[in-house]
Amino acid sequence: MMDNLRAASNHVVLKVILGLIILSFVLPGVGNYLIGGGYYAAKVNGQEISRAQLDQAFNSERSRQQQILGDQFSKLAGNDGFMQQLRQQALSQLVNQALLDQYINDLHIAISDAQVKQALFAQQTFQTNGKFDNAKYNGLLSSMGFSADRYAEALRKQLATQQLINAVVNTDFTLKGETSKLVELVSQKRDIRQATIDVNALAAKQTATADEIAEYYQQHKSNFMAREQFRVSYIKMDAASLQADVSDADIQSWYDQHKADYTQPQRSRYSVIQTKTEADATAVLKQLKGGTDFTTLAKSKSIDPISARKGGDMGWLEPATTPDELKEAGLTQKGQLSGVVKSSGGFLVVRLDDIQPEQIKPLAEVRDAVASRAKQEKAVDAFYQQQKVSEAASRDNESLASVSQALGLKVVETGWFSYDSVPAELNFDPVKNAIFNGGLTGQNGAPGNNSDVITVDGDRAFVLCISEHKPEAVKPLDEVKAHIADTLKHDKATKQARDQADKLLADLKAGKHDALSAAGLTLSASKTVERNTQDPVAQTAFSLPQPAGNKASWGVSEDMQGNVVLVALDKVSSGSLLQEQIDEMAKSVTQNNAQLAFEALLVNLRKEAKIKYGAVSQMQ
């Protein structure tokens, strides 16, 4: 095992690991330790948050919001206020991270080298079938320009932050008595009866005068707006529809130009023994030449713990992923031993175990795949050639006739549609933006100008114009008169039902039990409802006081159809939950309390801190 992390970072294998792990270790705050410079965005107790840190955090938050909001984000992104709010949110998170780092230092929370190593080797990025894969991390190291020390420090800080969070979360718990009371409350059941006043039946008997309808129309015109509507003419260009057969010559040409895609580079397999001193390496080399087994020596003599466990085996390596030390060994023959090779972590003895020569898949083996790709590329080329023609033709803004003639494609006419009902064929953000941004709309409903070529999904494009346009406007009274009359009748019926229910409620509470029958109403059979029942009548039942003695508790509600309902609560009883439900509920309460505690910690840290914001924090 390694004596300490710094010493271990010099091992040839661990260089690969520490360089690679940063690729997959995307955790909040880690990147902030690795960026510096620029005008400051804030100072937290003297610790500077740079403009570069803020820009990176803002871009990360922007990407996260874009993934969450999808198409809606493009609309919000045009709002300066929203983007400034997003930037302030990113800055707030950086300030919180700085405060937590400082608090961790004050508490002397320390992460040992062993903890860092354990987290390092647990990364699935470096594993194949659950085991650490030398070739995998070696292969990726060559593409990284990251130092082991810098990553180890970032990982150490992240682990310390997580330890603080866990300490706060694990301090909260729910007492057994509290859980029992909560279970009793959540599982409670109530027996109810109900009498329904049919609002629709009452509405059928109501009237709505012309004056009432006109007055309602004037007061609620905003409820009767007709959405802006469009009719569009368009020509669609699609690379998929342009695909044509390819000749043998086309296939051979494409294969020759892309032969590297079907080539497996030469690969070599090495084993190494790493020592601290040149003298140790020389002694190892002497033993090997004397016939001692390489695998045995590697396991007992190599100071590199990972390759040593595998008898020195480094796995298959391509030229681009072979460490310089192994290249410098100059081995060309299978089984050949190197001399003593100096490395940044000590000295190496290297053996070339095997060589796989470059392998090129013959055209006959990959012909179908090559033909498919050549066909697609030819179609895309044709598509972009059409696009150039259409760009020239679209300069004629009187109609799409010239575009249609130039391309040999027909013009398609849509029916009327609004923003909420765009035809599926045109339902792409770039196309919708062209239609609804006003730039193509003609005057007084007349046809507008042709659009430029609008490309979507890389291999499809549209040229379009707005044939007709209806601006947003209030619907005429005659068009909505019947709807208003129904609304007025229903409102009157609802008020009548409410008034009747309130009077009946007063009578029932006064002990006049014949009030319901006198009103032509009857109570339903008793039924049991639970607290989580998503029904307004059930929710009303749980808001009523418990019945006293043999007397029901009464209330008024509405059912899902909008009818007014008199509710009689007859009985309250305790229910039960499965043990796993009880455990889950207690866990949820505990987690909620822990979150509140952690938020309170941040509030207190902010209250006691000296935070100064720079001008950069307001820039976009």
Side-chain angles (χ1 to χ4, degrees), residues 21 25 114-123 151 155 159:
I21 197 170
F25 200 81
Q115 288 173 294
V116 174
K117 287 186 287 185
Q118 183 179 5
L120 192 69
F121 292 120
Q123 289 295 311
Y151 174 71
L155 179 56
L159 292 173

Side-chain angles (χ1 to χ4, degrees), residues 92 169 389 436 522 573 607:
S92 179
V169 169
V389 173
F436 297 115
T522 57
S573 58
K607 187 182 299 182

Side-chain angles (χ1 to χ4, degrees), residues 41 174 177 411 453 553 584 593:
T174 304
V411 178
V453 172
S553 181
E584 187 62 31
N593 292 343

Side-chain angles (χ1 to χ4, degrees), residues 432-581:
K432 291 189 290 187
N433 289 339
I435 295 172
F436 297 115
N437 67 10
L440 303 180
T441 305
Q443 297 295 321
N444 301 319
N449 296 331
N450 294 344
S451 72
D452 293 328
V453 172
I454 305 168
T455 303
V456 297
D457 291 348
D459 59 357
R460 276 177 287 178
F462 295 85
V463 178
L464 59 86
C465 68
I466 296 173
S467 306
E468 292 184 79
H469 171 243
K470 293 178 183 177
E472 184 180 56
V474 179
K475 296 178 182 178
L477 176 58
D478 287 344
E479 187 177 330
V480 297
K481 185 184 295 185
H483 173 74
I484 294 175
D486 289 341
T487 300
L488 288 171
K489 292 175 184 179
H490 191 273
D491 289 349
K492 289 179 180 181
T494 300
K495 184 178 185 307
Q496 179 183 343
R498 276 284 180 186
D499 291 343
Q500 182 184 2
D502 290 341
K503 183 178 183 305
L504 288 170
L505 184 63
D507 290 342
L508 291 166
K509 287 182 176 180
K512 299 178 181 180
H513 300 296
D514 59 348
L516 285 176
S517 58
L521 299 174
T522 57
L523 282 167
S524 68
S526 178
K527 70 174 183 178
T528 302
V529 295
E530 299 179 352
R531 185 176 294 276
N532 63 353
T533 303
Q534 298 301 311
D535 181 292
V537 174
Q539 295 301 314
T540 297
F542 278 93
S543 69
L544 296 176
Q546 295 195 22
N550 295 323
K551 294 182 178 180
S553 181
W554 291 91
V556 175
S557 183
E558 287 187 4
D559 63 15
M560 301 292 283
Q561 290 73 43
N563 297 313
V564 177
V565 180
L566 283 154
V567 184
L569 172 60
D570 296 320
K571 180 183 176 182
V572 176
S573 58
S574 298
S576 61
L577 295 176
L578 298 174
Q579 186 57 48
E580 53 263 35
Q581 293 175 308

